[in-house]
mmCIF file of all heavy atoms in Angstrom:
data_model
loop_
_atom_site.group_PDB
_atom_site.id
_atom_site.type_symbol
_atom_site.label_atom_id
_atom_site.label_comp_id
_atom_site.label_asym_id
_atom_site.label_seq_id
_atom_site.Cartn_x
_atom_site.Cartn_y
_atom_site.Cartn_z
ATOM 1 N N THR I 220 3.527 16.041 4.444
ATOM 2 C CA THR I 220 3.213 14.673 4.146
ATOM 3 C C THR I 220 4.447 13.811 4.193
ATOM 4 O O THR I 220 4.402 12.747 4.784
ATOM 5 C CB THR I 220 2.638 14.592 2.766
ATOM 6 O OG1 THR I 220 1.538 15.507 2.555
ATOM 7 C CG2 THR I 220 2.058 13.178 2.471
ATOM 8 N N TYR I 223 5.470 13.660 8.135
ATOM 9 C CA TYR I 223 4.592 12.774 8.905
ATOM 10 C C TYR I 223 4.843 11.295 8.526
ATOM 11 O O TYR I 223 4.820 10.335 9.335
ATOM 12 C CB TYR I 223 3.133 13.095 8.585
ATOM 13 C CG TYR I 223 2.797 14.442 9.048
ATOM 14 C CD1 TYR I 223 1.612 15.075 8.515
ATOM 15 C CD2 TYR I 223 3.492 15.160 10.002
ATOM 16 C CE1 TYR I 223 1.275 16.329 8.842
ATOM 17 C CE2 TYR I 223 3.167 16.445 10.427
ATOM 18 C CZ TYR I 223 1.991 17.030 9.803
ATOM 19 O OH TYR I 223 1.674 18.285 10.187
ATOM 20 N N GLY I 224 4.975 11.043 7.135
ATOM 21 C CA GLY I 224 5.125 9.649 6.658
ATOM 22 C C GLY I 224 6.403 8.995 7.073
ATOM 23 O O GLY I 224 6.399 7.836 7.552
ATOM 24 N N VAL I 225 7.496 9.733 6.951
ATOM 25 C CA VAL I 225 8.851 9.137 7.243
ATOM 26 C C VAL I 225 8.965 8.876 8.721
ATOM 27 O O VAL I 225 9.325 7.834 9.186
ATOM 28 C CB VAL I 225 9.964 10.107 6.768
ATOM 29 C CG1 VAL I 225 11.348 9.630 7.297
ATOM 30 C CG2 VAL I 225 10.008 10.135 5.231
ATOM 31 N N GLY I 227 6.641 8.819 11.163
ATOM 32 C CA GLY I 227 5.639 7.795 11.701
ATOM 33 C C GLY I 227 5.879 6.406 11.209
ATOM 34 O O GLY I 227 5.811 5.413 11.983
ATOM 35 N N THR I 228 6.387 6.256 10.004
ATOM 36 C CA THR I 228 6.587 4.876 9.439
ATOM 37 C C THR I 228 7.832 4.321 10.057
ATOM 38 O O THR I 228 7.938 3.134 10.311
ATOM 39 C CB THR I 228 6.680 4.919 7.932
ATOM 40 O OG1 THR I 228 5.537 5.628 7.415
ATOM 41 C CG2 THR I 228 6.721 3.562 7.362
ATOM 42 N N VAL I 229 8.943 5.115 10.218
ATOM 43 C CA VAL I 229 10.159 4.574 10.846
ATOM 44 C C VAL I 229 9.834 4.162 12.243
ATOM 45 O O VAL I 229 10.298 3.004 12.689
ATOM 46 C CB VAL I 229 11.216 5.649 10.892
ATOM 47 C CG1 VAL I 229 12.379 5.240 11.772
ATOM 48 C CG2 VAL I 229 11.750 5.964 9.421
ATOM 49 N N MET I 231 6.923 3.154 13.374
ATOM 50 C CA MET I 231 5.977 2.028 13.329
ATOM 51 C C MET I 231 6.903 0.762 12.955
ATOM 52 O O MET I 231 6.621 -0.351 13.488
ATOM 53 C CB MET I 231 5.015 2.288 12.300
ATOM 54 C CG MET I 231 4.026 1.147 12.093
ATOM 55 S SD MET I 231 4.484 -0.069 10.897
ATOM 56 C CE MET I 231 4.228 0.880 9.386
ATOM 57 N N THR I 232 7.758 0.910 12.153
ATOM 58 C CA THR I 232 8.672 -0.233 11.748
ATOM 59 C C THR I 232 9.427 -0.721 12.916
ATOM 60 O O THR I 232 9.500 -2.001 13.108
ATOM 61 C CB THR I 232 9.610 0.113 10.601
ATOM 62 O OG1 THR I 232 8.859 0.688 9.494
ATOM 63 C CG2 THR I 232 10.429 -1.039 10.082
ATOM 64 N N CYS I 235 6.891 -2.426 15.437
ATOM 65 C CA CYS I 235 6.244 -3.616 15.005
ATOM 66 C C CYS I 235 7.328 -4.760 14.814
ATOM 67 O O CYS I 235 7.011 -5.930 15.096
ATOM 68 C CB CYS I 235 5.547 -3.337 13.696
ATOM 69 S SG CYS I 235 4.041 -2.272 13.901
ATOM 70 N N SER I 292 0.405 6.365 14.281
ATOM 71 C CA SER I 292 0.932 5.564 13.179
ATOM 72 C C SER I 292 2.053 4.649 13.717
ATOM 73 O O SER I 292 2.496 3.846 12.959
ATOM 74 C CB SER I 292 1.485 6.467 12.034
ATOM 75 O OG SER I 292 2.530 7.320 12.532
ATOM 76 N N ASN I 295 0.613 -0.553 14.579
ATOM 77 C CA ASN I 295 -0.138 -1.228 13.530
ATOM 78 C C ASN I 295 -0.217 -2.707 13.751
ATOM 79 O O ASN I 295 0.720 -3.381 13.696
ATOM 80 C CB ASN I 295 0.515 -0.856 12.135
ATOM 81 C CG ASN I 295 -0.361 -1.317 10.980
ATOM 82 O OD1 ASN I 295 -0.584 -2.450 10.744
ATOM 83 N ND2 ASN I 295 -0.660 -0.314 10.089
ATOM 84 N N PHE I 297 -1.563 -5.171 11.947
ATOM 85 C CA PHE I 297 -1.249 -6.003 10.786
ATOM 86 C C PHE I 297 0.335 -6.080 10.624
ATOM 87 O O PHE I 297 0.872 -7.204 10.343
ATOM 88 C CB PHE I 297 -1.871 -5.499 9.614
ATOM 89 C CG PHE I 297 -1.463 -6.251 8.272
ATOM 90 C CD1 PHE I 297 -2.104 -7.545 8.088
ATOM 91 C CD2 PHE I 297 -0.602 -5.855 7.461
ATOM 92 C CE1 PHE I 297 -1.685 -8.298 6.985
ATOM 93 C CE2 PHE I 297 -0.260 -6.535 6.386
ATOM 94 C CZ PHE I 297 -0.829 -7.765 6.104
ATOM 95 N N SER I 298 1.033 -4.997 10.906
ATOM 96 C CA SER I 298 2.452 -5.100 10.746
ATOM 97 C C SER I 298 3.093 -5.943 11.806
ATOM 98 O O SER I 298 4.130 -6.576 11.579
ATOM 99 C CB SER I 298 3.103 -3.706 10.778
ATOM 100 O OG SER I 298 2.637 -2.867 9.670
ATOM 101 N N LEU I 301 2.621 -9.430 10.644
ATOM 102 C CA LEU I 301 3.526 -9.742 9.515
ATOM 103 C C LEU I 301 4.983 -9.887 9.983
ATOM 104 O O LEU I 301 5.642 -10.804 9.499
ATOM 105 C CB LEU I 301 3.471 -8.480 8.485
ATOM 106 C CG LEU I 301 4.214 -8.685 7.177
ATOM 107 C CD1 LEU I 301 3.623 -9.843 6.401
ATOM 108 C CD2 LEU I 301 4.142 -7.463 6.388
ATOM 109 N N GLY I 340 11.967 -8.170 5.637
ATOM 110 C CA GLY I 340 10.533 -7.936 6.120
ATOM 111 C C GLY I 340 10.328 -6.547 6.723
ATOM 112 O O GLY I 340 9.264 -6.043 6.489
ATOM 113 N N ALA I 341 11.419 -5.982 7.375
ATOM 114 C CA ALA I 341 11.153 -4.632 7.868
ATOM 115 C C ALA I 341 11.046 -3.592 6.798
ATOM 116 O O ALA I 341 10.330 -2.672 6.859
ATOM 117 C CB ALA I 341 12.388 -4.290 8.722
ATOM 118 N N ALA I 342 11.775 -3.816 5.590
ATOM 119 C CA ALA I 342 11.615 -2.989 4.516
ATOM 120 C C ALA I 342 10.225 -3.050 3.934
ATOM 121 O O ALA I 342 9.636 -2.025 3.416
ATOM 122 C CB ALA I 342 12.707 -3.326 3.456
ATOM 123 N N THR I 343 9.745 -4.216 3.845
ATOM 124 C CA THR I 343 8.368 -4.433 3.356
ATOM 125 C C THR I 343 7.347 -3.774 4.205
ATOM 126 O O THR I 343 6.424 -3.109 3.798
ATOM 127 C CB THR I 343 8.022 -5.929 3.272
ATOM 128 O OG1 THR I 343 8.927 -6.580 2.386
ATOM 129 C CG2 THR I 343 6.604 -6.075 2.596
ATOM 130 N N ILE I 344 7.492 -3.885 5.565
ATOM 131 C CA ILE I 344 6.612 -3.158 6.572
ATOM 132 C C ILE I 344 6.710 -1.718 6.332
ATOM 133 O O ILE I 344 5.693 -1.011 6.401
ATOM 134 C CB ILE I 344 6.930 -3.666 7.969
ATOM 135 C CG1 ILE I 344 6.573 -5.134 8.121
ATOM 136 C CG2 ILE I 344 6.283 -2.774 9.001
ATOM 137 C CD1 ILE I 344 7.036 -5.718 9.424
ATOM 138 N N PHE I 345 7.990 -1.209 6.136
ATOM 139 C CA PHE I 345 8.122 0.198 6.076
ATOM 140 C C PHE I 345 7.392 0.819 4.729
ATOM 141 O O PHE I 345 6.775 1.760 4.829
ATOM 142 C CB PHE I 345 9.610 0.572 5.917
ATOM 143 C CG PHE I 345 9.910 2.052 5.636
ATOM 144 C CD1 PHE I 345 9.911 2.928 6.684
ATOM 145 C CD2 PHE I 345 10.122 2.491 4.353
ATOM 146 C CE1 PHE I 345 10.173 4.339 6.430
ATOM 147 C CE2 PHE I 345 10.428 3.796 4.068
ATOM 148 C CZ PHE I 345 10.390 4.654 5.124
ATOM 149 N N LEU I 346 7.528 -0.099 3.670
ATOM 150 C CA LEU I 346 6.951 0.437 2.388
ATOM 151 C C LEU I 346 5.455 0.388 2.551
ATOM 152 O O LEU I 346 4.744 1.447 2.172
ATOM 153 C CB LEU I 346 7.380 -0.467 1.280
ATOM 154 C CG LEU I 346 6.960 -0.163 -0.102
ATOM 155 C CD1 LEU I 346 7.479 1.156 -0.483
ATOM 156 C CD2 LEU I 346 7.423 -1.206 -1.092
ATOM 157 N N LEU I 347 4.811 -0.609 3.110
ATOM 158 C CA LEU I 347 3.414 -0.634 3.270
ATOM 159 C C LEU I 347 2.973 0.489 4.183
ATOM 160 O O LEU I 347 1.919 1.132 3.929
ATOM 161 C CB LEU I 347 2.963 -2.001 3.910
ATOM 162 C CG LEU I 347 3.151 -3.250 2.922
ATOM 163 C CD1 LEU I 347 2.769 -4.532 3.608
ATOM 164 C CD2 LEU I 347 2.245 -3.112 1.655
ATOM 165 N N GLY I 348 3.632 0.737 5.270
ATOM 166 C CA GLY I 348 3.274 1.744 6.163
ATOM 167 C C GLY I 348 3.376 3.182 5.620
ATOM 168 O O GLY I 348 2.520 3.994 5.799
ATOM 169 N N PHE I 349 4.396 3.396 4.746
ATOM 170 C CA PHE I 349 4.545 4.682 4.119
ATOM 171 C C PHE I 349 3.471 4.884 3.138
ATOM 172 O O PHE I 349 2.858 6.071 3.005
ATOM 173 C CB PHE I 349 5.903 4.818 3.561
ATOM 174 C CG PHE I 349 6.266 6.236 3.057
ATOM 175 C CD1 PHE I 349 6.738 7.103 3.948
ATOM 176 C CD2 PHE I 349 6.095 6.604 1.758
ATOM 177 C CE1 PHE I 349 7.031 8.419 3.588
ATOM 178 C CE2 PHE I 349 6.349 7.887 1.363
ATOM 179 C CZ PHE I 349 6.896 8.842 2.235
ATOM 180 N N VAL I 350 3.171 3.910 2.389
ATOM 181 C CA VAL I 350 2.014 4.104 1.337
ATOM 182 C C VAL I 350 0.742 4.373 2.113
ATOM 183 O O VAL I 350 -0.046 5.334 1.709
ATOM 184 C CB VAL I 350 1.892 2.813 0.549
ATOM 185 C CG1 VAL I 350 0.642 2.860 -0.342
ATOM 186 C CG2 VAL I 350 3.146 2.685 -0.384
ATOM 187 N N GLY I 351 0.486 3.656 3.277
ATOM 188 C CA GLY I 351 -0.768 3.890 3.963
ATOM 189 C C GLY I 351 -0.742 5.364 4.564
ATOM 190 O O GLY I 351 -1.834 6.045 4.559
ATOM 191 N N SER I 352 0.389 5.739 5.074
ATOM 192 C CA SER I 352 0.480 7.172 5.699
ATOM 193 C C SER I 352 0.336 8.264 4.585
ATOM 194 O O SER I 352 -0.250 9.249 4.787
ATOM 195 C CB SER I 352 1.838 7.271 6.337
ATOM 196 O OG SER I 352 1.950 8.666 6.832
ATOM 197 N N TRP I 353 0.936 7.935 3.406
ATOM 198 C CA TRP I 353 0.876 8.985 2.342
ATOM 199 C C TRP I 353 -0.560 9.146 1.838
ATOM 200 O O TRP I 353 -1.048 10.288 1.545
ATOM 201 C CB TRP I 353 1.771 8.595 1.139
ATOM 202 C CG TRP I 353 1.904 9.577 0.178
ATOM 203 C CD1 TRP I 353 1.135 9.819 -0.981
ATOM 204 C CD2 TRP I 353 2.982 10.598 0.121
ATOM 205 N NE1 TRP I 353 1.577 10.890 -1.701
ATOM 206 C CE2 TRP I 353 2.733 11.380 -1.046
ATOM 207 C CE3 TRP I 353 4.057 10.867 0.883
ATOM 208 C CZ2 TRP I 353 3.531 12.407 -1.367
ATOM 209 C CZ3 TRP I 353 4.840 11.967 0.450
ATOM 210 C CH2 TRP I 353 4.624 12.708 -0.619
ATOM 211 N N ASN I 354 -1.359 8.022 1.810
ATOM 212 C CA ASN I 354 -2.669 8.113 1.284
ATOM 213 C C ASN I 354 -3.710 8.446 2.408
ATOM 214 O O ASN I 354 -4.867 8.419 2.115
ATOM 215 C CB ASN I 354 -2.977 6.789 0.554
ATOM 216 C CG ASN I 354 -2.269 6.527 -0.684
ATOM 217 O OD1 ASN I 354 -1.952 7.457 -1.403
ATOM 218 N ND2 ASN I 354 -1.931 5.304 -0.946
ATOM 219 N N SER I 355 -3.281 8.589 3.584
ATOM 220 C CA SER I 355 -4.164 8.819 4.728
ATOM 221 C C SER I 355 -4.872 10.128 4.530
ATOM 222 O O SER I 355 -4.304 11.174 4.205
ATOM 223 C CB SER I 355 -3.403 8.786 6.044
ATOM 224 O OG SER I 355 -4.316 9.090 7.108
ATOM 225 N N MET I 404 6.037 8.819 -4.306
ATOM 226 C CA MET I 404 5.647 7.373 -4.101
ATOM 227 C C MET I 404 6.365 6.512 -5.143
ATOM 228 O O MET I 404 6.761 5.416 -4.918
ATOM 229 C CB MET I 404 4.097 7.225 -4.188
ATOM 230 C CG MET I 404 3.440 7.917 -3.046
ATOM 231 S SD MET I 404 3.867 7.081 -1.467
ATOM 232 C CE MET I 404 3.532 5.401 -1.881
ATOM 233 N N LEU I 407 9.956 6.035 -4.317
ATOM 234 C CA LEU I 407 10.104 5.111 -3.179
ATOM 235 C C LEU I 407 9.884 3.653 -3.679
ATOM 236 O O LEU I 407 10.678 2.812 -3.294
ATOM 237 C CB LEU I 407 9.153 5.419 -2.017
ATOM 238 C CG LEU I 407 9.208 4.565 -0.808
ATOM 239 C CD1 LEU I 407 10.504 4.720 -0.134
ATOM 240 C CD2 LEU I 407 8.055 4.853 0.100
ATOM 241 N N MET I 411 12.879 0.793 -3.561
ATOM 242 C CA MET I 411 12.760 -0.353 -2.669
ATOM 243 C C MET I 411 12.145 -1.540 -3.291
ATOM 244 O O MET I 411 11.762 -2.530 -2.625
ATOM 245 C CB MET I 411 11.969 0.113 -1.531
ATOM 246 C CG MET I 411 12.488 1.214 -0.649
ATOM 247 S SD MET I 411 11.539 1.517 0.874
ATOM 248 C CE MET I 411 11.942 0.001 1.781
ATOM 249 N N TRP I 415 11.021 -5.247 -1.754
ATOM 250 C CA TRP I 415 9.557 -5.552 -1.951
ATOM 251 C C TRP I 415 9.478 -6.915 -2.648
ATOM 252 O O TRP I 415 8.714 -7.752 -2.147
ATOM 253 C CB TRP I 415 8.955 -4.458 -2.776
ATOM 254 C CG TRP I 415 7.501 -4.830 -3.197
ATOM 255 C CD1 TRP I 415 7.123 -5.165 -4.422
ATOM 256 C CD2 TRP I 415 6.323 -4.756 -2.395
ATOM 257 N NE1 TRP I 415 5.767 -5.375 -4.454
ATOM 258 C CE2 TRP I 415 5.306 -5.164 -3.279
ATOM 259 C CE3 TRP I 415 6.141 -4.430 -1.013
ATOM 260 C CZ2 TRP I 415 3.965 -5.216 -2.740
ATOM 261 C CZ3 TRP I 415 4.826 -4.465 -0.603
ATOM 262 C CH2 TRP I 415 3.678 -4.927 -1.438
#
Side-chain angles (χ1 to χ4, degrees):
T220 309
Y223 300 156
V225 170
T228 308
V229 168
M231 183 270 289
T232 303
C235 293
S292 61
N295 188 298
F297 177 75
S298 297
L301 187 63
T343 304
I344 291 172
F345 175 84
L346 185 59
L347 292 175
F349 189 82
V350 172
S352 175
W353 190 272
N354 295 324
S355 177
M404 291 301 303
L407 181 67
M411 299 188 67
W415 170 258

